[in-house]
Amino acid sequence: MRSLRTGLSLGSVLTGIAALGALLVAAPAAHAADTPLRDLAAAKGKVIGTAVTGSKLTGTYGDIAGAQFSSLTPGNAMKWETVEPTRGTYNWAEADQIVAFAQAHNQQVRGHTLVWHSQNPSWLTNGTWTSAQLSSLLHDHITTEVTRYKGKLAAWDVVNEPFNEDGTYRSTLWYNGLGSDYIAQALTWAHAADPGAKLYINDYNVEGVNAKSTALYNLVKSLKARGVPIDGVGLQAHLILGQVPSTLQQNIQRFADLGVDVAITELDIRMQLPSDSAKLTQQAADYKAVFDACVAVSRCYGVTVWGFTDSDSWIPDVFSGYGAATPYDENYVPKPAYYAIAGSLGGTSTPPPTGACTATYGVQSQWNTGFTGQVRIACSGAALSSWKVNWTYGAGQRITQAWNADCTQSGAAVTCANASYNGTVPNGGSVTFGFNASWSGSNPVPTVTLG
């Protein structure tokens, strides 16, 4: 494949017009009738967040992250192996980038994570440490990182995943070296470094009432009784299709009754691939159930999805055969789950009408060896913040250059996506792009699809 793009003027339309169906590859915020999720959540007194990858915060990914969400969580940028890969040598580049993006878009940042058994640098995990040395290392790490972002972060997942499924403490570097009180120490040190940040303990499989969540409940209750600074619990909510715990709201409420906030911190709902309409419908119902439970409890602070697009999801790499876990597909098309979230927050719960945006293919001028073509994308009743069109040539035509779009051709298949400057198609508006192509013998209008 090769990218084809240059700049030329367009001639008059001569022949071959084919109407195309709409492809809504836009952030739903771009739909004229839709309210951004962050505004819907704010009206309910909630925060809606997403985990992000700093290097991707440009283009459509950045547009959606900035427009739809009121909080960002660095997916990996604040973990120990990233920020201190070599002892005493720090790398803050991606974390700083995410914080700066959030500040520019009036968003909160949720720090993730200070103390965990995973994604630690090899110098730490392979070292031989006395308890005093380990305590000093942990204290220095927490103090250094939290102090760097003092006043810039709303909350920290201070301790991540401290429990086994049966409610016993997980055997980790920290538990084995410092005992269970490493949790209280970490919270105390984080509070000293930034008294204004809300401090959480975060874990998975604690969404419903079970042995693991009860152990977390008892820990929080004990910490509160001791006066240890603990502001909330994070329920990760990496869920499987059709398996939202029936006791989710009850569990959120019992933690809230301890006097702490509750946040859904890493929500995704994975399905066995391939996805289909029935699975997507079930996924939408599951997302709605989670958001409904949070909306129903005043001390549920909000919900963070663990990546908003399937192209940035960890699921396929970890759970073989599973995926499609987020509210947007890989092309940034909002899935039924997106509209279910919006509906739970009081917004529009149905997709824009089919055909609200259309594309039209036309041949503008033609000569014995080639032709100039144009595609016009227009919207009425919806809008786009990005677009992509596809077609397959049936007579050996080959695109030789294109303008106002990034086009690739592999065999007979052509894909053209918006350029950096013309992805937005407003309700009632249109954009065009053009191309030159070669042909021999005939130039039939191609069968056009969008995707």
Side-chain angles (χ1 to χ4, degrees), residues 248-444:
L248 175 59
Q249 183 178 327
Q250 174 190 344
N251 194 41
I252 294 172
Q253 187 64 61
R254 71 165 175 164
F255 279 105
D257 291 342
L258 288 177
V260 296
D261 292 334
V262 179
I264 308 296
T265 54
E266 304 181 23
L267 175 64
D268 50 30
I269 301 175
R270 64 186 181 270
M271 65 181 69
Q272 192 164 13
L273 298 174
S275 67
D276 57 36
S277 60
K279 293 176 184 176
L280 292 172
T281 298
Q282 179 63 57
Q283 184 185 57
D286 291 346
Y287 267 96
K288 184 177 187 299
V290 174
F291 274 81
D292 284 352
C294 182
V295 169
V297 180
S298 61
R299 289 205 71 153
C300 184
Y301 186 73
V303 179
T304 290
V305 294
W306 202 246
F308 61 86
T309 170
D310 291 341
S311 65
D312 195 40
S313 173
W314 69 300
I315 294 297
D317 294 332
V318 176
F319 298 96
S320 179
Y322 284 79
T326 76
Y328 290 78
D329 74 11
E330 293 183 352
N331 295 315
Y332 305 112
V333 180
K335 289 151 61 173
Y338 162 80
Y339 296 101
I341 294 169
S344 179
L345 296 174
T348 302
S349 59
T350 56
T354 300
C357 294
T358 60
T360 304
Y361 177 105
V363 175
Q364 297 191 280
S365 62
Q366 185 171 293
W367 53 98
N368 61 343
T369 59
F371 66 97
T372 296
Q374 177 181 279
V375 175
R376 179 176 180 267
I377 300 156
C379 291
S380 178
L384 301 174
S385 64
S386 64
W387 45 262
K388 181 166 64 175
V389 298
N390 304 299
W391 65 86
T392 300
Y393 280 125
Q397 301 99 315
R398 296 289 304 179
I399 290 184
T400 56
Q401 54 188 174
W403 50 95
N404 297 329
D406 292 320
C407 293
T408 58
Q409 181 169 352
S410 178
V414 177
T415 297
C416 294
N418 62 273
S420 61
Y421 51 82
N422 67 349
T424 299
V425 185
N427 185 17
S430 66
V431 300
T432 61
F433 69 89
F435 54 89
N436 283 340
S438 63
W439 68 285
S440 178
S442 65
N443 186 23

